[in-house]
Amino acid sequence: MIRIKCPYCGERDHSEFTYGGDASIKYPSLDASESEWTDAIFFRKNIKGFQKETWHHLNGCRMWLEVERSTITHEIKSVKPCHPDLQKLMELKK
Amino acid sequence: MTKFNAWNVFKNGLNGQTGWSRQWRDPEPQSSYNVIIIGGGLHGLATAYYLAKNHNVKKIAVLEKGWIGGGNAGRNTTIIRSNYMMPGSHEFYEHSLKLWENLSHELNYNVMFSQRAHVSLFHSPGAKDANARRYNTMRLHGTDGELWDLNTLKKNIPHLNYDDARFPIIGAAVQRRAGNARHDSAVWGYARAADSLGVDIIQNCEVTGITRKNGNIESLQTSRGVMKGNKIGFAVAGNTSLLWQMAELGNLPIESHKLQAFVTEAVKPFLDHVVVYGVGGAHFYISQSDKGSLVFGGDLDWYKSYAQRGNLPMVQDVAEAAMAILPSIGRLRLLRHWAGVMDMSMDGTFFICKTPISNLYLNAGWNYGGFKASPASGWYFADLIANEQPHKYIQHHHLKRFEQGINLDERGAGPDPKLHG
Amino acid sequence: MSSKRIDNFGKINRDKIISFSWEKKNYFGYEGDTLASALLANNIKIVGRSFKYHRPRGIMSCGVEESGALVTIGSFEKRDPNVRATSQELYQGLEASGQNAFPNVNFDFGEINNYLSRFFAAGFYYKTFMGLPPFEWGSGTSIWMFFEKIIRKAAGMGKLSRLADPDSYEHAHDFCDILIVGSGPAGIAAAKEAADKKLDVILVEQDSLLGGDQIAEKEFDTNKTLDELKNLGVRVMNRTTAFGLYDNCVIGLIERITDHIYYDKKEIPRQRFWTIRAKHIIVGSGSLERHIAFNNNDIPGVMTVNAAKHYLNRYGVLTGKDIVIATNNDSVYNTADLLSQAGANVIILDSRKEIKLDNFNNNIQVKFETVPYSINGSRKIKSIDIADAKHQPYTKIDSISCDQVLISGGWSPAVHLLSHRGVKAKWNAENLCFLPGDTKENITMVGSARGIWNKSDCIKSGIAGALDAMNHMGLSKTNYFFPKEGGWSNPIQPLYEVKYNKSRSKSFVDYQHDVTADDVRLAHREGFISVEHLKRYTTLGMANDQGKMGNIIGLSLMADLLDKDIPEVGTTVFRPPYTPISIGALAGRNVGKHFRPLRVTPMHQWNLDNGAIMIDVGLYQRPWYFPKNNETLSEAYIRETTTVRKSVGVCDVTSLGKIAIQGPDATEFINRVYSNAFAKLPIGKTRYGIMLRDDGIVMDDGTSWRLSENEYLMTTSTAQAGKVMSWLEELLQTRWTDLKVNVTSVSEQWAAAAISGPRSREVIKNCLENPSLIENSNLPFMGFISANLKDGTPCRIVRISFSGELGYEIYIGSDYANSMMDLIWKEVQNYHGCLYGLEALGALRVEKGHVTGAELDGRVTIDDAGLGKMASTKKSYIGSAMRSRGTLIANKDREQLVGFFPVDKKETFDAGTIVCEKNNIKGSGIGRITSVTHSPELDHWIGIGFVQGGKEKWNNKTLIGSDPVRNKQMELEVVSPHMIDPEGKRMHA
């Protein structure tokens, strides 16, 4: 079981969350070209090691989180809200 | 090489099994080859075999970082079927099934392909219609496929959960020629047959670097020395991205995810078919090995991983899915569970194609359906490497299909690797 | 062997006699017995048959490593195959029997395999059974499948019942500071130390009693230990196996609750599957005694040395009279003493030259530099041939009569749980065993599981383990040290196989699977030299014990053959579970109808009360049809459809997803999410919208209502409700973080009913406090209003039509759903209207050519679905960049939505039919039918689906519908998908 420290709910089983995907992807603007979108949607670094990825706390606070996690050991280095305003709020809460 | 047959088994029974020798050689790597296939799994070994057999290519090497068949070839649930419907994919998998049908004879190695029928349960009229589309497509391609109503299903598999199911079973889509096989023996069979055609199978040989020159791959650095190959093929599903990036080719439409597999204690014959179903967010497939173990699995662990270890939520999920259709399995005990690392592609479909490097060829993206594909995968990958032209079945199975809008997505799940199967 | 119960030994309760049956005969044992000890007490020798050769097997150990005594417990639906007799506690009425034998384990026809075993070497089945013998003539799989049937029957061990498992199981979850696996000296010491520091400690023990190996010590009092631990606040879980160690110190346990008693009710679960999240895990899982490979080392009467000690001191059973102990290490001498004290004649064969031991009874004969060579006997031990350890090849130098041979080939720490974490074990050449490797995780190995053999050091290691855990947890910074591994007075000497110098030896490496030393040599000869190849080729270590006893012998043999050291050959990775665990426990209560949660709408009971037959739609149950007077499905839906078109019908549509979208940027947001224009949707109006995925393929469709300047209500399809909600959250939280919008799922808050048909306006009018609100002028097509029902309940009414008729949907707070339905239904009946279900809903929408999930299958573009014109050309939206990439661009060759009529109007057809050109009925065809229905209005079957080239190419032309899996083929006429009222006059009425 991966245990994810949700900044809002606390440490929870990963089964409460759904895995989103690679958090390093910068989605282009809606009017960007087909090739930019193709790269963003279909192509992945597929890092073996620590990667930034998104998780959705589906059965919790429903926050989208940016998690830095090893894809080899599943060890988690950091968890923060994806939304910058929520990040700030969570820091204030601390 | 001593031929495998009952006569020689008998003879060796009398002489203390002394007449057998190495099933494949342990050659010292040479400095150059015509073709180097990286990856000593089923796909790599089959490719080497068909390069030698169908295309008469000499000086072929298969490089394996560990022991052959140690990746997904040796950790899958051994199901073989051709119930695919996307254009090209169906023909490809059907050819693979046909190769399986004669593989024991072809390789002189019993791969134990048991055509015991693949029974895909459905639970709603809508699912029945979706299956009808798929199986009609198969039939119109000349492949076998049929629908079983509830009575036929009950007659064939009386101990499914017909009384108390959350999602009542209403029938099944069946491919009788489908079944399961002994995964390891297919690996060893291809290795032995390829070896006898002169292919060098080099184990404990990890590729650690790729040197490019003038747009080509000039040489490979390996844990057993530098090697040159006129043509290089990647067949390392699960780790494709790593080699791809070693060749400085950037990103691929692939993510590595892990899939768990489960084996129970051996029991006397309990289930005579391959049974699969998907409903209510669950996905499940099960069959009994000849040894007597029930072998089964479900969905991915749902997060990207290169670990060959599963986690508990999916163990529980799969156990629930097993109980949902086979309520007598509750007293059977799980003996082992583990995970394999899958090349999950963006449309759930594989790649056999050329690459931006002119002497590099790619075989990847098998999702969790690569075992059954391996004979055809080897066949068409060999064909591509030898003839430089993709066969029409695999003409769309390349990396540009996404930008070209070619849809080979069997599940219709879209560009989210974890949603494919 | 003559094993018997003796006085003055053991800790069983002799005041409580327990009767049980073995092979349908009754026997007696005592409270505290295992099945194995009771069988031994009754001098029952043969309790099992091996997998391949069907050789008779006796009880070979006293624990989870057992690979001989696998038996079947219980009968009928409670039959448990492959139970280790050594772990099964005895209870009154226990029924046990042998397995993998015909007619029984005492006399088994399968034993013929033993006489043919020379032909059945490892991997022989890879070499034959392909074709007709002797030269494998033929092709295809039929000959293999003929043999396979026979092989399958011969394989397997016990027989699983095909009746549903009647027992119940449970899931449980917990947390703790430190979880300790194993209650041996080390585990107990660790628990006491940690509990003393006020930490929350769980101690897990697979046995019924605490103590581990100490249980076989006369003076050890398990109950006192239990009390001490409990007084310290340790949570003790006995009969509980820690089966697997997972990420983040999460451990899986199976607690056996009723397996040790007779229990035929369902109130108490049979087993409980615990998921425990610990901050630190201490593993004191002990070690397992190995055997030695030599000829006939499997004859009933062969046992590990330590097992004999446990049978004697725990169960009061002396397992033999004339006992030969074969060893290469010190651990047997104490047992030899005990056995001798209990009256056995004991001779020790020690492979070593000489040893020094304190406190050893010198009356016991020790033959140094002597090894076991071959056992004589087949169903029981008659004597053992011995060999001189110095002279290789070994030859028989003497023979000793005996009825039991006890073996100790050294000890293997149970490093399994750590191996589950991917930690490789390290070979220790001094102690000849694999020791746990290093880990960065919060896991500490203690006791003999880390290779510490003597008890006082084990206790020290337990305390050190607790301190290590507290340091890891940041609670202390105590200095501590672990005692060095080992601890015997004399070094162990390598002895894995005593090679038999004749051909056809039966030196077993893996007992259950009949893997012999010769099989390992054959594997080597054939090139299967990597450990994993060896394992897979010979099946070494793949039996129920997963190689607990034999793996290291196999490794050492391979190392020998390769002229390498054991660590260079490697070790196989142990996979969970540590011991086999029942699938029932893993599934827990989530079985039968509880496999998945059931979602129901607030008017679920109302629907049922009014005669609904339900159908599963995802996790929901929705009304399928409302039969009257024993109507069939098709009779009912045709009546319902007809009634709606003629008069009025009402249908529960609550399961649609509903999302509140609020905030100053709500309009911008919704305009980006949908492919069609939403920016100018007026307040009070609703609009049908189509959402695409990033890749330009249709994701979902639904409607959105503009409630106010910055407020919308979005509806989604039932199937995609969850996905769309997560998608909107993802967009707002990860991509468009500048947008000030909040989304909230209100699916559960609103109940909804569709009222359709020409009389629907009148019906609703009669239901409202202010009937005029619903006049056409006030509520035009695609408008919505807030209103009050007659009873004053506020609701929202949207004028929308999925059926093509004049239609409305009323949304109301979920709590008021039933009273709303009562009110509407009363009015509907006044117009001779009906309740209608999903089947009629489908029929109505097919007649109108509306697409749903059957059409939008994840591969269809908005153009394919005939909705391309709705997509905005003036804005960018999700999917707009990709919807026309490459071949997705709308063109005449793509499949497009059309309608189908049967040419012969009496013909029926089904969804899933492939559409082909007349003279080319093959392959993927040129299209397919996705939805069908009987159309009451047209009075024949109709369908919608896709055809390459669409209506433009095929309108009113004839194609063939091919449906071989349902043995149907029919001529189809391609028509417009909008088959009824294409201009939409009715819904605008």
Side-chain angles (χ1 to χ4, degrees), chain A:
Chain A
M1 191 87 75
I2 302 173
R3 301 270 295 158
I4 299 173
K5 282 190 183 110
C6 173
Y8 188 74
C9 307
E11 192 177 51
R12 300 296 177 89
D13 290 351
H14 80 262
S15 51
E16 283 187 13
F17 302 77
T18 51
Y19 177 75
D22 189 337
S24 69
I25 301 166
K26 294 272 174 283
Y27 285 93
S29 66
L30 291 175
D31 56 3
S33 68
E34 242 175 62
S35 79
E36 280 176 80
W37 272 99
T38 300
D39 284 346
I41 300 170
F42 296 111
F43 289 83
R44 294 286 177 270
K45 280 203 194 84
N46 198 16
I47 292 168
K48 185 172 183 175
F50 277 97
Q51 69 163 17
K52 286 182 178 164
E53 60 193 24
T54 58
W55 288 77
H56 187 205
H57 199 179
L58 190 82
N59 296 316
C61 61
R62 305 212 40 119
M63 205 187 283
W64 277 86
L65 304 171
E66 185 184 305
V67 176
E68 198 180 353
R69 181 185 67 104
S70 165
T71 57
I72 305 168
T73 64
H74 304 158
E75 183 195 339
I76 290 175
K77 264 191 193 163
S78 67
V79 183
K80 61 180 185 186
C82 289
H83 198 292
D85 295 350
L86 286 171
Q87 273 174 40
K88 275 178 216 148
L89 265 174
M90 288 302 138
E91 270 155 32
L92 281 177
K93 208 178 119 193
K94 277 182 202 162

Side-chain angles (χ1 to χ4, degrees), chain B residues 17 115 290 320 333-334 402, chain C residues 81 141 148 525 590 885:
Chain B
Q17 310 289 340
Q115 295 184 281
D290 289 326
E320 289 168 7
R333 283 179 294 267
L334 180 69
F402 302 103
Chain C
T141 59
E148 189 196 28
R525 198 176 308 137
N590 303 339
R885 71 194 139 103

